[in-house]
Amino acid sequence: MLNRRHLLMGLSAVAAPLPCWAAEPVKIAFVDTGNTGRGLMAEVLARAEAARRSLPVALISRGLNPDPFDERAEANAKILLMNRGIDVAGHRARHLEPGDIVHADLILTMTTDHVAGVRALAPYAATKTFTLASYAIGADEQIPDAWGKPMAAYEAVIAQLDRLIPLALTKATAGRT
């Protein structure tokens, strides 16, 4: 016959917590041409939104054709982001590498040309590569390149990103929060 002590010991063994692991974050890569404007802004805005909402994501931005002689964040992008308390002065453009494509769960580009560029590099990534707009809202909406244009062009880009990024993050993290 079991005494009370043995019974409690047996129950505590059954009730002991099992080891558990946190789910991997959704790994999202934002891709544009040079990784100094749109893609960079998308990454840091998504990072701020994800932190605000405690979303399980890991975020990077990359360029399909970054200029090694012009790798710093675009001045107007820096100003707009600094106005939001986001400092990108230390940013250096990075080229989209095969490992980035392999490890990403989702690749969001600024234009359909960027989608084609990613798919040309890695045909196997076709099922996880979309324009940001097509993924977020199902629309064929391009995010135009503001490089070399006046501040108003950058403001229009950031307005698009502000509208699309929260929707994309909600969709990408559905069921993981």
Side-chain angles (χ1 to χ4, degrees):
M1 178 171 215
L2 291 175
N3 66 28
R4 184 173 184 201
R5 181 172 162 231
H6 287 104
L7 181 61
L8 289 175
M9 285 176 56
L11 288 176
S12 67
V14 171
L18 297 173
C20 61
W21 294 268
E24 281 284 312
V26 179
K27 298 171 188 165
I28 303 171
F30 292 98
V31 176
D32 68 353
T33 305
N35 190 221
T36 58
R38 298 169 286 184
L40 168 61
M41 289 192 293
E43 175 196 359
V44 297
L45 292 173
R47 191 175 308 284
E49 178 72 9
R52 187 182 70 73
R53 293 170 47 194
S54 298
L55 297 175
V57 295
L59 304 159
I60 62 171
S61 63
R62 299 291 189 262
L64 287 170
N65 189 23
D67 180 348
F69 297 100
D70 188 18
E71 61 184 10
R72 296 184 186 269
E74 296 167 27
N76 287 340
K78 272 199 300 197
I79 291 167
L80 288 175
L81 294 170
M82 188 57 76
N83 289 343
R84 295 177 182 215
I86 302 169
D87 183 3
V88 294
H91 174 77
R92 298 297 176 270
R94 294 195 51 196
H95 191 274
L96 181 68
E97 300 290 340
D100 302 326
I101 298 168
V102 167
H103 292 287
D105 297 313
L106 180 61
I107 301 169
L108 299 175
T109 72
M110 304 300 114
T111 69
T112 53
D113 285 345
H114 297 138
V115 169
V118 171
R119 290 177 178 174
L121 288 172
Y124 62 86
T127 59
K128 62 181 181 180
T129 305
F130 310 90
T131 65
L132 174 58
S134 68
Y135 184 78
I137 60 173
D140 183 21
E141 180 181 317
Q142 309 297 301
I143 299 174
D145 192 356
W147 187 86
K149 295 186 174 83
M151 182 60 85
Y154 286 84
E155 291 167 341
V157 166
I158 212 165
Q160 276 183 290
L161 295 173
D162 282 338
R163 180 172 50 87
L164 297 171
I165 286 171
L167 299 170
L169 290 177
T170 296
K171 184 175 180 178
T173 59
R176 292 195 187 211
T177 56

